[in-house]
Amino acid sequence: MPALLDHCDIKILLHELTHLFHNICSVTKWSRFHGTSCDEADYVEAVSQMMEYWAWEPEFLRRFSKHYKTGEPIPENKLYALIDTRWDELGTDKLGQVFLGLFDMTIHNTADGNYKVDELYNRMQNDIVLSNFGDAKVFKVATCEHLMSAYAGTYYAYLWAETISADMFMSRFKKDGIDDPKTGMDFRREILCPGGSREAMVSLKRFLGRKPNSEAFINMLTP
């Protein structure tokens, strides 16, 4: 049976697969710091978020994007039309991440837990994302399982991690080529292998050759 993955599925697959790579390729003395066992949540997510950039590279998409019956490759006009959707509603998406990060910190910053989380969720979403997504009866907050897991109080790391992932991809893989063997080996040796056994800044500086910055992320926000 064909997988028939849509583009969103491809991004998720690449993201989660890289968490797996992080654990498989990690070489550490203590299991506590192996792979994704890192106290710096923004760094852990940045590693997997970087791999999502492959889902927007035409040379990567051409390798498997074809008709599941005829094997006909995806037409070039459709391929680039898909890539152009990258910036559709990008502002709303980033505001959504800002909203979830702030909501997460709000509900975890109370001594008595005296919040009506459903009403708070809807109010903050409407105020920050600037769209009305329904009333309190929907209880959409129940879909945010990350807020009650190891990411409790640190969901903001997902958006912050995007500054790191953009820098890693644009400064190395986009510049040198997504199939460049040296860049790939540097990524494996300096990012994947150490896991959480050393500070993220050390790994990033060794991979990038400098301290990371947000320039690539800011440039990515516009076509």
Side-chain angles (χ1 to χ4, degrees):
M1 293 293 291
L4 298 180
L5 300 177
D6 63 26
H7 190 249
C8 182
D9 292 331
I10 295 297
K11 290 189 295 181
I12 294 173
L13 178 62
L14 289 169
H15 181 105
E16 302 303 338
L17 189 61
T18 309
H19 281 315
L20 177 63
F21 291 158
H22 208 165
N23 286 316
I24 290 176
C25 296
S26 185
V27 180
T28 61
K29 181 177 181 179
W30 308 108
S31 61
R32 167 65 180 81
F33 303 109
H34 193 86
T36 57
S37 298
C38 175
D39 292 331
E40 298 167 281
D42 51 350
Y43 175 64
V44 170
E45 291 304 327
V47 176
S48 284
Q49 286 177 352
M50 192 205 69
M51 195 60 67
E52 293 181 34
Y53 280 86
W54 267 253
W56 300 105
E57 293 298 306
E59 59 186 289
F60 173 76
L61 292 172
R62 289 191 190 100
R63 295 172 187 173
F64 59 88
S65 299
K66 58 188 67 177
H67 195 282
Y68 79 101
K69 286 185 177 180
T70 67
E72 180 183 0
I74 183 172
E76 288 293 289
N77 64 325
K78 290 187 177 181
L79 176 64
Y80 282 95
L82 171 65
I83 293 172
D84 286 342
T85 66
R86 180 176 191 167
W87 291 276
D88 290 354
E89 301 184 3
L90 186 62
T92 301
D93 175 68
K94 301 311 175 191
L95 283 176
Q97 292 296 301
V98 171
F99 150 64
L100 286 173
L102 290 173
F103 174 76
D104 178 41
M105 286 188 281
T106 300
I107 61 175
H108 288 97
N109 190 32
T110 174
D112 57 12
N114 188 23
Y115 279 125
K116 292 184 177 180
V117 291
D118 50 348
E119 296 179 3
L120 177 67
Y121 182 97
N122 289 339
R123 184 172 69 252
M124 290 186 67
Q125 186 177 48
N126 294 342
D127 291 343
I128 297 171
V129 187
L130 307 179
S131 297
N132 192 326
F133 289 89
D135 56 32
K137 296 179 182 179
V138 176
F139 212 75
K140 191 176 180 181
V141 65
T143 65
C144 302
E145 69 276 6
H146 281 65
L147 307 187
M148 299 300 170
S149 67
Y151 283 93
T154 61
Y155 187 86
Y156 72 89
Y158 272 93
L159 184 56
W160 182 242
E162 291 189 39
T163 65
I164 303 173
S165 62
D167 197 5
M168 287 196 293
F169 180 79
M170 298 304 293
S171 299
R172 292 297 311 269
F173 287 100
K174 188 66 174 179
K175 178 182 177 181
D176 302 329
I178 60 174
D179 292 326
D180 181 68
K182 182 181 185 306
T183 304
M185 187 55 68
D186 286 348
F187 180 69
R188 177 176 180 176
R189 182 177 60 252
E190 303 296 352
I191 301 296
L192 298 180
C193 286
S197 64
R198 68 187 184 193
E199 291 186 2
M201 186 59 70
V202 175
S203 295
L204 290 168
K205 288 173 68 175
R206 291 188 179 181
F207 179 66
L208 294 170
R210 55 165 173 77
K211 292 179 64 175
N213 60 61
S214 59
E215 182 178 344
F217 172 72
I218 294 173
N219 291 337
M220 181 272 298
L221 295 176
T222 55

